[in-house]
Amino acid sequence: MSLQRCTDLSAADWIIRSSTPTWQLLTFGPDVFEASARLRLIPDPTAPGQHEGDVDDEPVHVESEGEWGARVLRVLTRWTTTPHRVYFAVWLGDGMSDDVPPGQMLDLPDRPECALLAGDADDLEPGRSVLSGRGRPPAMVWPEDRAWVMACDVDPHWAGIGASTGAVGALVRTPGIDVVPTDPRAAQPEYDGPSQDARNRPPLPPGFRFGPYRP
């Protein structure tokens, strides 16, 4: 199907009504899956207080971080019964959403003014849709059967994935993507300071977005 803006936002109710702590929800989705993992957009920090700008990520370089999301969805598509009905929640405060079709707004917890679009997993593939040209994966992606979710907030250097144990194992074994299993309730590696527990991490101010690091 072609990518379209949703007028019925009920497909996101399971996320909005989730009791999962907000920061965990924004970075891993609802806490309802057998297994979780992190898609590392750049390698994890190797020293306390390290800045993202200090990282040499050439060994895992791709055209954009958004392309990592497309590679993950190629695998996750095999783990859903609804690969042709996939939802994309796009936070319009990320500075990369000028081409997103207008429509009704979806408010995720601490991330108001999101667009909800429906299409299929191929819509993140290069040249396929307005989503494929973005610098990062959408805020959340999930299929209609909710077999998995990929969440990518503006702060972390990784995207969180919730899925079955089999799907996470398949991602970890797939060449060309950097996916590691994790506990979504635990502290995660982060740049610019020590890790914080996902349940207690404060939300970013509305409209905040990161720019390039400047020493």
Side-chain angles (χ1 to χ4, degrees):
M1 64 178 296
S2 59
L3 188 68
Q4 56 187 276
R5 186 78 177 255
C6 296
T7 55
D8 180 0
L9 306 182
S10 61
D13 285 350
W14 72 297
I15 296 172
I16 295 172
R17 297 174 182 173
S18 172
S19 61
T20 304
T22 298
W23 184 248
Q24 182 183 338
L25 180 69
L26 291 174
T27 52
F28 286 99
D31 192 4
V32 296
F33 295 98
E34 289 183 327
S36 297
R38 291 186 300 116
L39 164 66
R40 294 187 286 203
L41 304 173
I42 61 174
D44 286 338
T46 57
Q50 186 176 5
H51 294 287
E52 288 189 17
D54 299 330
V55 177
D56 179 9
D57 64 343
E58 188 62 30
V60 292
H61 177 72
V62 292
E63 182 176 347
S64 72
E65 293 177 350
E67 188 178 327
W68 285 122
R71 293 184 181 193
V72 165
L73 291 196
R74 289 174 203 166
V75 179
L76 290 178
T77 296
R78 304 197 299 266
W79 297 85
T80 172
T81 61
T82 57
H84 301 300
R85 185 69 175 180
V86 176
Y87 294 98
F88 304 85
V90 179
W91 184 48
L92 301 182
D94 63 4
M96 298 181 286
S97 305
D98 293 342
D99 294 332
V100 173
Q104 188 174 354
M105 292 294 185
L106 167 70
D107 291 336
L108 295 178
D110 284 328
R111 291 293 177 270
E113 297 189 350
C114 292
L116 183 63
L117 299 99
D120 59 46
D122 289 341
D123 280 314
L124 288 191
E125 293 290 340
R128 174 65 185 262
S129 75
V130 296
L131 297 182
S132 62
R134 296 167 53 83
R136 288 172 73 87
M140 286 198 188
V141 184
W142 69 95
E144 189 170 48
D145 66 0
R146 305 178 190 174
W148 43 260
V149 66
M150 178 172 65
C152 189
D153 199 58
V154 294
D155 190 3
H157 64 282
W158 44 267
I161 299 161
S164 66
T165 301
V168 168
L171 287 169
V172 171
R173 294 189 299 270
T174 299
I177 54 176
D178 183 12
V179 173
V180 291
T182 194
D183 178 354
R185 305 175 190 88
Q188 307 296 332
E190 67 176 1
Y191 284 92
D192 297 325
S195 297
Q196 299 186 41
D197 191 293
R199 292 166 294 183
N200 300 322
R201 179 65 179 267
L204 294 173
F208 179 90
R209 61 178 183 268
F210 277 82
Y213 169 67
R214 294 289 183 268

